[in-house]
């Protein structure tokens, strides 16, 4: 073991060096007693299934192997050395639109891949986006992911409330069920956070105040000095992703990520080139 990398939703992530090769890996260790006590055994199986089925993908963290010992379930992940997006945002404050187009392009492909395998991520946030040595992204931590019964975007088979408060879509707050589009809402929150340096719905006043804002506070991009200068396609993208009516939300149709990719915000993005930048990795 080299050092502690962090605490995931249900376990500890360690940086380890393989003796035989000197290669570095991120090892996620989840104690069985803790998993059973918190009723989270299925979370591990789902996480493993996401990593196996949605990978290998250029923008999803690669799982090298998985095993269990009498005490723990262990996932051996590729080590992504550039830190996470939370720290990156802390260092930069805000990002310019060109940088956000670059990062969101990679994220849209990663989320689309999960959705193609009928997984809803449900925990898209800065902390779960890692940056590699070359500056490319890797989505990680699928402890809260869920499998929807079908790839139908409006499927509502997932009903438990989960995810990180500021990224939660309004339909997650009702407990009536939610599907793949919650990830597109979270992408809208992320876009806003990257550009403005703060979330679209403030958590000031506690959780219930935040929930009220998520459910009903107007999104005033033109009137807010931090967002007023955004380009028109940027404002439109954020408005279309932070659409409370699930059926009208960008990405909620059967084409899923393809509809997001076709938005004018991504005009000029060569999607094949975005994938090809990390292509050597999948081959
Ligand atoms: N933190 C959590 N998972 C990680 C990984 N795969 N690489 C680096 N840091 C991490």
């Amino acid at each position: 073991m080299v050092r502690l990398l962090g605490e995931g939703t249900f376990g500890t992530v360690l940086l380890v060096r393989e003796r035989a090769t000197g290669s570095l890996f991120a090892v996620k260790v989840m104690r069985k007693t803790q998993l059973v006590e918190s009723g989270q055994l299925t979370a591990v199986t789902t996480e493993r299934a996401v990593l196996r089925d949605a990978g290998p993908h250029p923008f999803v963290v690669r799982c090298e192997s998985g095993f269990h010992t009498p005490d723990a379930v262990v996932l051996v992940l590729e080590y992504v050395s550039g830190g996470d997006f939370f720290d990156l945002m802390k260092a930069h404050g805000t990002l310019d639109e060109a940088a956000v187009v670059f990062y969101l392009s990679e994220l849209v492909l990663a989320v689309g891949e999960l959705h193609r395998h009928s997984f809803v991520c449900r925990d898209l946030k800065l902390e779960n986006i890692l940056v590699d040595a070359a500056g490319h992204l890797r989505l990680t931590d699928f402890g809260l992911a869920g499998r929807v019964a079908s790839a139908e975007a409006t499927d509502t088979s997932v009903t438990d409330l989960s995810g990180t408060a500021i990224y939660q879509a309004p339909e997650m707050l009702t407990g009536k069920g939610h599907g793949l589009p919650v990830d597109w809402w979270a992408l809208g929150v992320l876009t806003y956070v990257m550009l403005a340096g703060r979330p679209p719905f403030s958590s000031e006043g506690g959780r219930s105040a935040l929930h009220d804002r998520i459910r009903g506070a107007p999104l005033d991009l033109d009137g807010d000095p931090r967002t007023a200068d955004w380009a028109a396609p940027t404002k439109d993208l954020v408005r279309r992703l932070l659409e409370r009516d699930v059926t009208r939300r960008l990405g909620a149709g059967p084409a899923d990520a393809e509809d997001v990719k076709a938005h004018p915000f991504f005009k000029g993005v060569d999607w094949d080139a975005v994938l090809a930048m990390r292509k050597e990795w999948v081959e």
Side-chain angles (χ1 to χ4, degrees):
M1 175 178 151
V2 181
R3 66 184 167 89
L4 180 71
L5 284 172
E7 305 282 343
T9 313
F10 301 116
T12 304
V13 185
L14 309 170
L15 176 61
V16 305
R17 190 189 308 276
E18 186 178 38
R19 283 212 181 95
T21 60
S23 310
L24 294 169
F25 296 96
V27 171
K28 184 168 180 180
V29 184
M30 294 159 280
R31 296 253 150 244
K32 284 182 181 174
T33 48
Q34 198 181 332
L35 290 170
V36 173
E37 275 162 21
S38 57
Q40 292 302 341
L41 261 184
T42 54
V44 186
T45 357
T46 310
E47 174 156 39
R48 179 84 177 105
V50 170
L51 292 166
R52 184 190 54 225
D53 297 351
H57 185 273
F59 307 120
V60 176
V61 78
R62 181 164 59 178
C63 184
E64 307 285 352
S65 88
F67 58 92
H68 66 116
T69 69
D71 296 331
V73 181
V74 180
L75 291 176
V76 182
L77 307 170
E78 108 185 79
Y79 171 54
V80 185
S81 64
D84 69 31
F85 232 85
F86 187 85
D87 290 333
L88 187 138
M89 288 307 301
K90 222 164 41 185
H92 289 267
T94 58
L95 299 178
D96 63 32
E97 294 188 40
V100 176
V101 170
F102 174 83
Y103 289 127
L104 279 196
S105 302
E106 300 196 340
L107 275 178
V108 168
L109 293 178
V111 172
E113 185 67 6
L114 255 70
H115 288 186
R116 218 167 56 76
H117 291 277
S118 303
F119 289 113
V120 51
C121 174
R122 290 196 294 182
D123 204 17
L124 269 183
K125 57 177 173 179
L126 295 176
E127 296 89 326
N128 288 343
I129 302 167
L130 303 174
V131 186
D132 74 13
H136 294 292
L137 299 188
R138 221 75 89 252
L139 210 50
T140 193
D141 199 344
F142 303 104
L144 291 178
R147 200 194 276 272
V148 295
S150 77
E152 280 291 306
T154 49
D155 188 285
T156 52
S157 63
V158 187
T159 52
D160 55 316
L161 181 67
S162 54
T164 300
I166 63 158
Y167 299 93
Q168 279 177 347
E171 67 269 23
M172 292 178 87
L173 307 176
T174 64
K176 289 206 190 102
H178 55 263
L180 303 180
V182 301
D183 288 339
W184 299 124
W185 173 281
L187 194 82
V189 176
L190 274 172
T191 310
Y192 190 108
V193 168
M194 288 179 185
L195 289 164
R198 65 175 167 89
F201 306 108
S202 145
S203 48
E204 203 180 301
R207 183 163 293 232
S208 89
L210 169 66
H211 287 179
D212 287 347
R213 289 186 193 106
I214 290 174
R215 275 192 288 253
L219 190 68
D220 184 14
L221 300 180
D222 295 322
D224 184 332
R226 294 215 221 190
T227 59
D229 293 342
W230 292 358
T234 307
K235 286 181 182 168
D236 189 72
L237 177 80
V238 170
R239 287 190 186 113
R240 300 274 290 109
L241 292 172
L242 297 181
E243 163 63 61
R244 292 184 172 100
D245 180 347
V246 184
T247 61
R248 289 172 49 206
R249 188 175 306 153
L250 183 64
D256 193 67
E258 293 309 312
D259 286 341
V260 182
K261 287 159 70 176
H263 189 277
F265 176 79
F266 296 106
K267 187 168 176 270
V269 170
D270 177 342
W271 292 96
D272 291 334
V274 173
L275 263 182
M277 278 193 274
R278 287 255 320 132
K279 199 158 182 281
E280 79 290 353
W281 179 84
V282 268
E283 280 172 348

